[in-house]
Amino acid sequence: MRILIVDDSAMMRALIKRVIGLTELPVDEVVEAANGAEALRILESREVDLLLTDVNMPGMTGVELLREISRLRKWPHLVRVIISTDGSASRRDEAAELDVRCYLEKPFSPEVLRNVLSQAAGSVQS
Amino acid sequence: MSSVKPPDLFSPDAGTQVAGAVVAVAERSFFADVQSCDRGRFDDLAAAIDDSWLVAMVHFREGDFAGALSCSLPQDLARNLLDAFTGRDPQEPDPDREALFDLVGELSNMICGTWLTRMAMAQTFTLSRPVVEFTRSRPAVGEDTVAMMAINDWPLLVSVACLGEDSAAAAAGF
């Protein structure tokens, strides 16, 4: 499984990466991007199975990234997960319309992230 | 423009909700011991700190409504939280300033997002990128102070300000 982490905080990317390392999931590669535009460039250039994205980021937000992914229709099997401080009902509704598999609200415990990753990994493999 | 009336973010309940957000963030993401404290305890904790403080400000906006939340904490607490967040060994050389600023920005972002979600579940606020500054001045408790906290026996002060409609467009980060 190849994972792309999109978050403007290097600290948050490091934490997510650390939790991924603690799981026993079959992870081949973890790639990082600091915003949506950078994530799109990575998606264009390499295979990614699972996308973990923040919402509020400078340049291109996570929602804009997900809209662009839907519009381009190039990655139908990409499993999409949002990790955000914004847990509002309207944001969750918006995410559901963008084919988001899981919505993880910050702050989260590593155990919760691990569960979300396991769930998402199941979707990748099936 | 939003069709939903903004919540009363400055109601008496706001301080309780901010304190609850700090507890949730500090416990879940930083595995910290966190408690609300009164003015006397906060002053005692702050007095023990040297002149190294970090202040992070996050602006938030929904329709014509805009405000800002700021967190003030000693640099030593930022280092302590960074160790818990990243698993860094405290014996390693001190983290650079950029790492501390990133950490404090993420902390304030999570506190602000958690608080707004609790206060206004039906609305979608846009949060700015946190602006973090180093200061040698001890933070002042004032009318905009909504929570005084003790995290691992270090002080954290949270303030919230309403920027109003006129200044909404000028809010930093949008």
Side-chain angles (χ1 to χ4, degrees):
Chain A
M1 179 166 63
R2 287 145 298 198
I3 301 175
L4 172 57
I5 305 168
V6 192
D7 198 306
D8 57 328
S9 165
M11 283 294 140
M12 186 53 71
R13 295 198 304 269
L15 173 71
I16 294 169
K17 207 170 172 180
R18 187 157 68 99
V19 174
I20 290 170
L22 293 172
T23 67
E24 294 178 352
L25 296 171
V27 177
D28 301 304
E29 186 180 34
V30 180
V31 192
E32 300 177 34
N35 58 51
E38 205 178 314
L40 268 184
R41 283 195 293 275
I42 290 170
L43 285 170
E44 293 281 6
S45 65
R46 62 174 82 197
E47 292 285 321
V48 175
D49 302 303
L50 172 61
L51 172 76
L52 307 172
T53 184
D54 186 16
V55 171
N56 281 311
M57 293 178 288
M60 179 187 271
T61 68
V63 170
E64 289 166 346
L65 167 66
L66 291 165
R67 282 207 189 104
E68 194 61 9
I69 288 171
S70 295
R71 189 185 70 78
L72 293 170
R73 296 182 179 183
K74 286 183 180 177
W75 305 283
H77 302 297
L78 178 67
V79 176
R80 298 148 215 194
V81 174
I82 284 182
I83 301 178
S84 173
T85 54
D86 184 350
S88 64
S90 49
R91 187 68 84 194
R92 286 173 180 272
D93 290 346
E94 191 175 31
E97 289 170 9
L98 292 167
D99 202 17
V100 170
R101 192 65 51 91
C102 302
Y103 197 113
L104 179 57
E105 207 175 310
K106 296 178 194 172
F108 52 80
S109 66
E111 290 74 22
V112 171
L113 175 57
R114 198 179 303 170
N115 290 341
V116 166
L117 288 169
S118 300
Q119 208 180 329
S123 304
V124 168
Q125 287 159 357
S126 60
Chain B
M1 184 180 291
S2 168
S3 58
V4 184
K5 185 177 179 292
D8 185 0
L9 296 175
F10 305 97
S11 66
D13 186 40
T16 307
Q17 294 290 354
V18 169
V22 173
V23 170
V25 171
E27 287 185 346
R28 279 186 219 157
S29 282
F30 299 94
F31 320 106
D33 174 48
V34 52
Q35 297 151 358
S36 286
C37 56
D38 59 19
R39 177 70 188 267
R41 167 123 166 97
F42 179 83
D43 285 344
D44 286 346
L45 292 172
I49 303 302
D50 64 9
D51 53 0
S52 301
W53 293 81
L54 295 172
V55 182
M57 182 170 284
V58 180
H59 287 85
F60 50 89
R61 183 176 190 174
E62 206 274 339
D64 292 331
F65 181 80
L69 177 143
S70 72
C71 295
S72 303
L73 63 158
Q75 191 164 272
D76 285 344
L77 173 56
R79 263 193 221 104
N80 176 266
L81 295 177
L82 185 142
D83 293 346
F85 198 68
T86 63
R88 192 188 79 94
D89 185 342
Q91 302 305 317
E92 290 175 25
D94 278 353
D96 59 27
R97 178 177 280 210
E98 191 183 345
L100 284 180
F101 277 32
D102 185 358
L103 184 284
V104 173
E106 192 59 30
L107 170 75
S108 59
N109 188 5
M110 284 196 277
I111 290 171
C112 188
T114 302
W115 169 59
L116 290 173
T117 298
R118 291 177 176 196
M119 294 292 287
M121 191 64 185
Q123 290 166 299
T124 304
F125 282 87
T126 301
L127 305 189
S128 73
R129 191 176 170 81
V131 176
V132 184
E133 291 178 343
F134 175 83
T135 176
R136 297 204 175 280
S137 308
R138 183 174 149 182
V141 176
E143 283 183 6
D144 58 352
T145 298
V146 289
M148 288 175 281
M149 312 294 293
I151 300 182
N152 295 341
D153 285 333
W154 274 291
L156 171 79
L157 186 76
V158 185
S159 303
V160 174
C162 174
L163 299 180
E165 294 187 13
D166 291 341
S167 57
F174 293 114

